[in-house]
Amino acid sequence: MRVLTFSDAHLTPHLGLPSAVREFFQTPADVHIANGDTLELVKYRPQEFVDSRCMRELFMAARGLDFRLICGNHDPRPDLLKLVPPQWLAPDLLEIDGVLYTHGDMFGGWWQLLKPFGEWYPDFYRWLQQFRQTPGRYNPHNLQKFNKLALAVQGQALLYALNAGKPLVLGHTHLPAQYKAHGTVWMVDCGTPGYRLWAVATDGHLEQRRF
């Protein structure tokens, strides 16, 4: 089985699907997953999406596919139920073929993670970086607050995956990443569609791939 995942498109009602999202739906897979914050329902009301260009193109792109929509903090379930078929909506923590999928707000919002940052952060960062395969290394003393918080969410997600003994696909942070330990990819953060980095699970084996 092949499962393809993107996250955090934050689609708005008056624009069509970005080219990266259209390509995602056109890429062959057994299951296509949008891993939260697919629609921007904080800045816009659900009524603004009704019969919008965005929704028309989304329905067209997903036609005939096994499409699963995981709720995020910007597209909560009650609002999505007003706009999409209920069969699209997946549990907040979905498991397919031994791989876990969740948007990531279960690991804490930005503000809940502000207090823990202190003298321990560089040690946490060094621990996290030994697993991180994404190009680019960050200086823990010069990181912007957003990236520090994103890495904190990724670290909690990685610990969750390791403790569960199952790979995990994350969204929420907008910071793409792949974490590998002992020859196995344990966690992939999709980032946003603009990176064109999807999470691909093939028969339970997870990887991040550029399209």
Side-chain angles (χ1 to χ4, degrees):
M1 176 178 280
R2 188 170 193 250
V3 183
L4 193 63
T5 309
F6 79 94
S7 184
D8 293 274
H10 291 271
L11 300 173
T12 59
H14 308 301
L15 297 176
L17 299 184
S19 61
V21 174
R22 291 198 302 271
E23 290 170 16
F24 166 84
F25 283 108
Q26 293 165 2
T27 302
D30 297 291
V31 181
H32 291 75
I33 297 175
N35 195 13
D37 287 1
T38 307
L39 303 180
E40 180 48 73
L41 288 165
V42 171
K43 295 180 180 178
Y44 299 91
R45 295 171 299 171
Q47 301 93 299
E48 296 178 81
F49 280 89
V50 174
D51 199 31
S52 65
R53 178 183 174 187
C54 166
M55 296 308 297
R56 290 195 299 270
E57 292 191 8
L58 181 61
F59 275 90
M60 184 73 70
R63 180 181 296 175
L65 302 179
D66 186 349
F67 177 50
R68 317 284 179 90
L69 195 60
I70 295 174
C71 302
N73 55 308
H74 279 245
D75 51 5
R77 187 174 300 271
D79 288 343
L80 284 178
L81 280 170
K82 300 173 183 177
L83 297 169
V84 304
Q87 61 267 27
W88 280 11
L89 294 184
D92 292 341
L93 182 63
L94 173 67
E95 181 174 346
I96 298 178
D97 219 10
V99 178
L100 302 174
Y101 301 83
T102 188
H103 178 60
D105 42 334
M106 64 180 282
F107 300 113
W110 303 129
W111 297 109
Q112 293 96 306
L113 292 168
L114 283 174
K115 289 184 179 179
F117 288 103
E119 294 180 358
W120 63 268
Y121 184 79
D123 292 331
F124 162 80
Y125 172 81
R126 281 190 287 271
W127 171 83
L128 192 60
Q129 284 293 61
Q130 66 181 314
F131 304 107
R132 185 181 176 90
Q133 291 192 309
T134 306
R137 299 283 168 168
Y138 302 103
N139 183 331
H141 299 288
N142 295 328
L143 278 174
Q144 294 180 353
K145 183 182 290 183
F146 176 85
N147 284 344
K148 282 186 177 181
L149 295 171
L151 289 174
V153 171
Q154 290 178 359
Q156 291 182 75
L158 176 60
L159 284 172
Y160 187 94
L162 292 170
N163 288 331
K166 297 176 181 179
L168 184 144
V169 178
L170 181 72
H172 194 41
T173 73
H174 296 203
L175 188 69
Q178 174 174 286
Y179 293 87
K180 188 174 184 177
H182 310 299
T184 299
V185 175
W186 284 98
M187 200 272 283
V188 167
D189 189 324
C190 299
T192 65
Y195 290 103
R196 297 181 184 269
L197 289 167
W198 314 130
V200 183
T202 306
D203 297 328
H205 298 284
L206 183 62
E207 64 177 322
Q208 189 174 60
R209 191 177 298 174
R210 184 177 297 278
F211 285 88

